Amino acid sequence: MRTFTITDRRTKVSRVICRRQVLSKALPALLQGYGEVFVFSDETVWNLYGRLVTRALGSVKVHTMPAGEAHKTPETLLSLLAAMAGAGLHRNACLVCLGGGVVGDIGGLAAALYMRGIACIQVPTTLLAQVDSSVGGKTAVDFCGVKNLVGAFSQPAYVLADPAFFATLPARELRCGLGEIVKHGALCAQIFDTLEQNRDKLFDLSFLADIVPANIAFKAGVVRRDAEEGGLRKCLNLGHTTAHAYELLDGTLSHGEYVLIGTFIEAEIARSHGGDGAYLSRLQALCLAVLGGMPSLPPPEEAARVACLDKKNTGRGRVVLTVPMSKGEYRLLELESTAYERELGRIGRALC
Ligand code: NAD
Ligand code: GLY
């Protein structure tokens, strides 16, 4: 078992626990002090794991949502809040979010809003959610065509990361999680070396179980120093400006796959802004090894238009990118949207 602690500026402590059998061995004990327990999940995850939850906790109040990013909406958030109110939850209740990043982001926001904040325990069931979204207290729903536009910083009391959940994950979901792991590799030399040295087993469940704690440790270390993204935490947006633009325009792939594409493209942009070419090629090779090939991309002018709406920007038609520069080094790059569009056009032509 490994535990990581994050304390944010409101001195709220969040503990991430990596261990096996979280549902039967960890969750019941952690829920002891709460007045009521309410579980939020998606239909796919609940069908797979609901029985284990009720075996561990007895009969609990549950609300499920349809699976997938298309349902990461204010409507889903409101229906969860209505279910919580309908169940008569009080301020000493705990919301358990059992699922991937979509369930975690919506549930975390509902916990932050209900009665101005109740406790939340995240039980992430995807690789992506374990290494990234459940850690660090970012919660949100998509709104008005912008990813994660409405949300809050709110740390969960606990995150319980158990690699046993990976056994039922489709390979594609492993790829999505690897997208955020490669992003961590672009920021942390040690993770990069581990990934390069294990290129032939990136999809092995035992390898993935082994690298989850190092990824959580890296992210927790960043969040501990900058929980609300005043500066350092912006590094975690590496590849994401382009990823979010393509995700909103195209939407046929998953978040982690767009992160791999965004990291590849922004590595190429970094190459023309003083980045270390040899290293960037190695990073791009890692992106492609996980992705399996580059899909066709939306038109540059559309991507630039959507990227201008990204909440990471400062406005004035400029696009802010966190780009990889050399091993373990990144840079914040602010480009005129026309310059960004030109870069996307150049890269797109070179890929054809
Ligand atoms: P997801 O929650 O949609 O899960 C992907 C799919 O896997 C879903 O169909 C789900 O039902 C299924 N699933 C989940 N666990 C399973 C299991 N153990 N076995 C079988 N199927 C399972 O997507 P995701 O990739 O986990 O998360 C993506 C979301 O996370 C995006 O909305 C993204 O914006 C968000 N995100 C948030 C942060 C953050 O800091 N809050 C960071 C990165 C990503
Ligand atoms: N996934 C980006 C962050 O947590 O800041």
Side-chain angles (χ1 to χ4, degrees):
M1 177 164 106
R2 294 194 56 190
T3 304
F4 307 93
T5 303
I6 297 169
T7 311
D8 78 5
R9 78 184 161 89
R10 292 183 215 118
T11 64
K12 218 173 140 192
V13 177
S14 180
R15 289 207 168 79
V16 186
I17 299 172
C18 300
R19 60 161 294 166
R20 297 265 171 183
Q21 295 183 294
V22 291
L23 292 178
S24 58
K25 297 277 164 62
L27 192 57
L30 295 176
L31 287 170
Q32 295 261 308
Y34 296 105
E36 294 134 332
V37 176
F38 192 94
V39 178
F40 176 50
S41 190
D42 74 28
E43 286 156 9
T44 306
V45 173
W46 190 251
N47 282 336
L48 287 165
Y49 295 102
R51 203 133 36 100
L52 286 183
V53 174
T54 45
R55 199 181 299 158
L57 303 182
S59 70
V60 277
K61 294 164 184 160
V62 183
H63 181 74
T64 58
M65 61 172 282
E69 181 74 27
H71 302 281
K72 194 178 171 184
T73 58
E75 290 75 20
T76 305
L77 171 71
L78 289 177
S79 79
L80 169 59
L81 288 168
M84 290 161 71
L89 297 192
H90 298 93
R91 206 174 242 156
N92 62 356
C94 180
L95 181 69
V96 176
C97 303
L98 175 75
V102 169
V103 162
D105 278 13
I106 300 172
L109 182 54
L113 292 172
Y114 189 80
M115 293 194 174
R116 301 195 182 90
I118 62 167
C120 172
I121 293 182
Q122 294 279 355
V123 185
T125 59
T126 61
L127 177 62
L128 183 144
Q130 291 196 15
V131 295
D132 191 359
S133 64
S134 65
V135 178
K138 273 191 182 178
T139 72
V141 292
D142 303 337
F143 189 54
C144 286
V146 182
K147 276 272 302 175
N148 301 329
L149 186 66
V150 174
F153 286 102
S154 181
Q155 298 293 342
Y158 291 94
V159 178
L160 304 179
D162 181 347
F165 288 115
F166 302 161
T168 52
L169 271 184
R172 182 154 179 216
E173 298 304 335
L174 297 178
R175 181 178 307 131
C176 294
L178 278 161
E180 301 288 4
I181 289 172
V182 169
K183 177 194 79 177
H184 288 164
L187 296 164
C188 168
Q190 224 177 335
I191 294 177
F192 183 80
D193 287 342
T194 304
L195 295 174
E196 266 205 330
Q197 286 156 14
N198 292 279
R199 275 271 289 270
D200 54 334
K201 40 175 139 122
L202 290 176
F203 286 84
D204 283 8
L205 295 192
S206 60
F207 170 69
L208 292 171
D210 285 348
I211 61 170
V212 164
N215 277 270
I216 292 175
F218 171 72
K219 177 156 185 187
V222 172
V223 175
R224 212 176 282 131
R225 284 181 281 164
D226 178 22
E228 298 195 0
E229 205 168 297
L232 176 68
R233 190 168 178 170
K234 291 183 205 293
C235 75
L236 298 176
N237 295 329
L238 188 139
H240 276 57
T241 302
T242 305
H244 282 168
Y246 288 159
E247 188 169 356
L248 277 166
L249 280 171
D250 178 46
T252 53
L253 304 178
S254 299
H255 177 75
E257 292 170 312
Y258 288 112
V259 170
L260 289 161
I261 296 168
T263 302
F264 182 99
I265 300 283
E266 293 186 13
E268 202 55 39
I269 293 176
R271 200 188 289 278
S272 54
H273 288 81
D276 172 346
Y279 160 75
L280 292 170
S281 296
R282 285 164 62 195
L283 177 61
Q284 288 176 317
L286 211 44
C287 293
L288 288 181
V290 177
L291 203 52
M294 188 58 81
S296 63
L297 302 171
E301 59 281 9
E302 284 293 292
R305 179 184 61 75
V306 173
C308 277
L309 302 174
D310 195 285
K311 64 189 180 317
K312 295 183 281 300
N313 296 333
T314 49
R316 304 183 305 274
R318 295 169 78 85
V319 177
V320 176
L321 310 161
T322 304
V323 300
M325 292 301 283
S326 57
K327 199 168 173 185
E329 302 288 334
Y330 69 95
R331 175 180 159 194
L332 293 185
L333 196 61
E334 192 167 337
L335 296 180
E336 293 288 345
S337 75
T338 47
Y340 177 63
E341 182 182 327
R342 266 198 310 279
E343 291 277 14
L344 294 184
R346 173 182 71 76
I347 296 163
R349 283 190 298 279
L351 285 173
C352 286

